[in-house]
Amino acid sequence: MGRRAGLAALTSPSLGSPRSRPAPLALPPPQRMSGGDMAKPLLGHRSTEGDCSAAPPGGRTVGVLGSGDFARSLAVRLVCSGFKVLVGSRNPKRKASLFPAAAEVTFQAEAVKKADVIFVAIFREHYSTLCDLADVLVGKILVDVSNNTEINHHKESNAEYLASLFPACTVVKGFNVVSAWTLQSGARDGNKQVLICSNNQEAKRTVAEIAQAMGFTPVDMGCMSSAREIENIPLRLLPAWKIPIFLALGLFICFFTYNLVRQVIHPYIREQKNKLYKIPIEVVNTTLPCVSYVMLSLVYLPGVLAACSQLYYGTKYRRFPDWLDQWLQHRKQIGLLSFFCAALHAVYSLCLPMRRSHRYLLIETAVKQAVEKRMTIWVEEEVWRMEIYISVGIIALGLLSLLAITSLPSIANSLNWREFSFIQSSLGFVALVISTLHTLTYGWSRAFDENQYKFYLPPTYTLTLLVPCTVIIAKVIFSLPCIQHRLLRIRRGWEKGRYVKFVLPSATGEFSSGETSSNV
């Protein structure tokens, strides 16, 4: 479910070979970090007084063009990190009160002259207003922090457009994925990565050093052509969640319709009873555990398919199909949605006795018992079934909660690989088994009762057992020593059919490849 549990999702072509990804820049430890540590919120220091105004002014001089929210937050963070900040504004007297006292607010031309690195914190449509400063900007490093309002709104990125306006400058794209809130409250309250790209390696290194001194982790994204992709990142709405959400919605609609037919439509047609009141809570509560249970099994099914593929081809170096690769990458989101549905099911179940319909049915049952002069309606088997059913369900929900918590980056980063793998893989499989027991105790003997087949449709829980039971059986088979040993060898690099045949020098003096008993 977690980031590291999805290692197979980030491999190509197999579980054992990671895909290439941008790596953080290797930089020396920063020399400046004043009392305003990144863990310390800055929300209380927006005025000209405070800890940030007391930052030492002896560091590198950095310029900021702009006076908006992001420019102000950037200036505050730079001052607290030990930099001397010059803010360029068209109306410095009016804007000076918005910045820390340690930041010098002056005219744009004056700020540009005194700084070698300049953060351009203005919108793209205002870039042309800086053309009057072209002569002063020669040789400067311009850091473009802007974003677009729509994905691929322009033919070229904002950074490339800025570079075309000022060809004598070195433009670096960066800090656009960091919000003003993160700059004010500290990187521990937000994403610590700062994506950087430029055609000039030295300029990238300079900006990366500034980012690291501010407490962020710079990530080299390559040349300027990557700026378009970097600018699209903040505009995407949950890109990794679309497929899992649509999957969950699809399962919910299918199971909801199925339960609606069994619990509402069937009584209305066969017995002329109006059961529409069941739709808001009872039908939904019957649907949620079905979705949660199937989604949990779908977290571990792609790992089973990947293992089958490796056993069939006898290698870990064969690339998985794209659909399986995408499935592996979305396991964390599928698992979290499974936990979400399980938590909703628990809340809905607690609310069942609060319904007015439940109270009426309870009173009706008591009246019937009094009329029939029955002293007790105690059924020992049903009592034990419900006790076990509820107890097992609570344990399953507790394990799902543990899986969900450890999938959070802040928690996952505090665990080593063995701990994380044990929780996400071993305990996750235990959660699936216990959820299966929870489902079986709910159904008990209903699968063999012909009255439970409405319109010849089997009980809903029997349908949900198909995928989880398949995963459990496959996991048990893979745990057999003969198969487990072979799978472990494959994941350590062994390949089926990789042999070399050696020929005597007297015959040809060379060796040829073939399939013999000599294994490489």
Side-chain angles (χ1 to χ4, degrees):
M1 289 170 60
R3 180 176 56 189
R4 284 182 283 184
L7 179 62
L10 301 175
T11 58
S12 175
S14 67
L15 292 171
S17 52
R19 286 180 179 169
S20 59
R21 59 169 61 184
L25 292 170
L27 297 173
Q31 301 298 321
R32 298 179 303 274
M33 276 299 287
S34 65
D37 185 78
M38 287 303 292
K40 185 176 182 179
L42 299 179
L43 294 176
H45 305 297
R46 292 185 180 179
S47 62
T48 57
E49 303 297 333
D51 294 341
C52 293
S53 61
R60 182 200 296 266
T61 301
V62 177
V64 177
L65 297 181
S67 55
D69 294 337
F70 189 87
R72 294 196 297 270
S73 301
L74 182 62
V76 170
R77 177 53 59 192
L78 286 169
V79 167
C80 291
S81 300
F83 293 95
K84 182 179 180 180
V85 180
L86 294 172
V87 180
S89 175
R90 289 173 293 181
N91 194 342
K93 291 184 179 180
R94 181 182 177 184
K95 303 295 185 179
S97 60
L98 301 176
F99 291 87
E104 181 182 349
V105 183
T106 181
F107 289 99
Q108 292 180 342
E110 191 68 21
V112 169
K113 289 179 182 178
K114 297 180 181 179
D116 294 329
V117 179
I118 302 164
F119 287 85
V120 182
I122 61 178
F123 293 106
R124 174 191 176 109
E125 51 267 26
H126 298 151
Y127 285 172
S128 58
T129 61
L130 303 177
C131 291
D132 295 338
L133 306 174
D135 295 337
V136 188
L137 288 172
V138 173
K140 306 287 185 178
I141 298 177
L142 302 182
V143 183
D144 177 40
V145 301
S146 65
N147 282 315
N148 290 316
T149 56
E150 299 178 9
I151 295 179
N152 297 328
H153 186 58
H154 303 282
K155 294 183 179 180
E156 59 183 353
S157 66
N158 294 349
E160 291 172 322
Y161 175 63
L162 182 64
S164 66
L165 294 178
F166 303 97
C169 300
T170 303
V171 176
V172 178
K173 185 69 185 183
F175 286 87
N176 67 301
V177 297
V178 179
S179 65
W181 169 262
T182 300
L183 289 170
Q184 291 183 10
S185 59
R188 293 182 185 177
D189 291 337
N191 188 2
K192 292 191 65 173
Q193 288 188 341
V194 172
L195 309 183
I196 298 173
C197 73
S198 176
N199 292 331
N200 188 295
Q201 290 293 333
E202 188 61 32
K204 275 196 296 187
R205 186 172 185 84
T206 300
V207 176
E209 290 175 352
I210 294 175
Q212 192 178 47
M214 296 168 67
F216 294 100
T217 302
V219 179
D220 188 352
M221 297 295 290
C223 59
M224 187 59 71
S225 59
S226 301
R228 187 181 183 89
E229 176 63 21
I230 296 177
E231 292 175 2
N232 287 337
I233 291 176
L235 301 177
R236 294 193 177 102
L237 179 62
L238 303 174
W241 288 84
K242 290 183 178 179
I243 294 178
I245 288 176
F246 281 120
L247 175 63
L249 287 176
L251 288 173
F252 184 87
I253 292 173
C254 292
F255 282 117
F256 182 85
T257 304
Y258 192 86
N259 291 324
L260 183 68
V261 171
R262 285 177 46 84
Q263 299 181 29
V264 178
I265 297 179
H266 180 271
Y268 181 78
I269 294 178
R270 292 295 177 86
E271 304 173 11
Q272 286 73 47
K273 292 183 178 180
N274 186 359
K275 301 287 186 178
L276 292 176
Y277 68 89
K278 290 186 174 183
I279 295 178
I281 294 183
E282 193 166 337
V283 176
V284 173
N285 189 44
T286 309
T287 303
L288 286 173
C290 299
V291 177
S292 175
Y293 185 39
V294 174
M295 292 283 283
L296 180 61
S297 64
L298 293 179
V299 173
Y300 298 97
L301 181 59
V304 171
L305 297 178
C308 292
S309 174
Q310 291 178 339
L311 288 171
Y312 179 78
Y313 292 105
T315 179
K316 72 171 185 177
Y317 299 108
R318 182 183 179 90
R319 186 180 181 88
F320 294 142
D322 290 338
W323 60 268
L324 180 57
D325 197 49
Q326 290 291 323
W327 192 351
L328 289 165
Q329 293 184 49
H330 289 98
R331 288 185 297 177
K332 173 183 176 179
Q333 290 76 17
I334 295 175
L336 290 175
L337 288 175
S338 172
F339 168 71
F340 175 72
C341 292
L344 286 181
H345 169 54
V347 175
Y348 269 86
S349 298
L350 292 175
C351 294
L352 289 177
M354 301 169 56
R355 300 176 303 157
R356 183 66 63 180
S357 58
H358 178 80
R359 298 179 184 180
Y360 289 155
L361 291 175
L362 188 62
I363 295 173
E364 182 180 349
T365 303
V367 171
K368 287 182 179 179
Q369 181 181 349
V371 171
E372 296 174 0
K373 297 181 179 180
R374 288 189 298 168
M375 299 301 297
T376 179
I377 57 173
W378 184 278
V379 179
E380 189 74 17
E381 180 181 347
E382 282 297 305
V383 170
W384 275 103
R385 181 183 72 84
M386 288 303 298
E387 295 292 326
I388 298 174
Y389 165 70
I390 296 175
S391 178
V392 174
I394 293 173
I395 296 174
L397 181 60
L399 289 175
L400 284 177
S401 303
L402 181 61
L403 296 176
I405 292 173
T406 53
S407 68
L408 299 176
S410 58
I411 304 299
N413 292 335
S414 65
L415 303 174
N416 60 39
W417 169 247
R418 185 173 183 180
E419 294 169 342
F420 188 86
S421 178
F422 172 76
I423 294 175
Q424 293 292 327
S425 181
S426 301
L427 290 186
F429 178 69
V430 172
L432 181 62
V433 173
I434 293 180
S435 299
T436 302
L437 294 177
H438 178 66
T439 305
L440 291 174
T441 52
Y442 169 79
W444 207 252
S445 59
R446 297 181 185 179
F448 309 102
D449 184 1
E450 62 179 10
N451 294 326
Q452 296 295 324
Y453 288 76
K454 314 294 185 180
F455 290 136
Y456 302 101
L457 298 176
T460 312
Y461 79 93
T462 59
L463 301 180
T464 63
L465 287 168
L466 296 177
V467 178
C469 288
T470 302
V471 173
I472 293 174
I473 293 173
K475 286 279 189 178
V476 172
I477 294 175
F478 289 155
S479 65
L480 297 176
C482 55
I483 298 180
Q484 186 180 33
H485 179 67
R486 183 179 180 86
L487 190 60
L488 183 62
R489 290 181 62 195
I490 291 174
R491 290 176 176 175
R492 289 183 175 179
W494 179 86
E495 292 185 80
K496 179 177 65 177
R498 298 288 293 179
Y499 301 99
V500 176
K501 178 180 180 181
F502 292 93
V503 182
L504 293 175
S506 57
T508 61
E510 300 175 349
F511 65 89
S512 59
S513 60
E515 292 192 2
T516 69
S517 59
S518 181
N519 189 0
V520 177

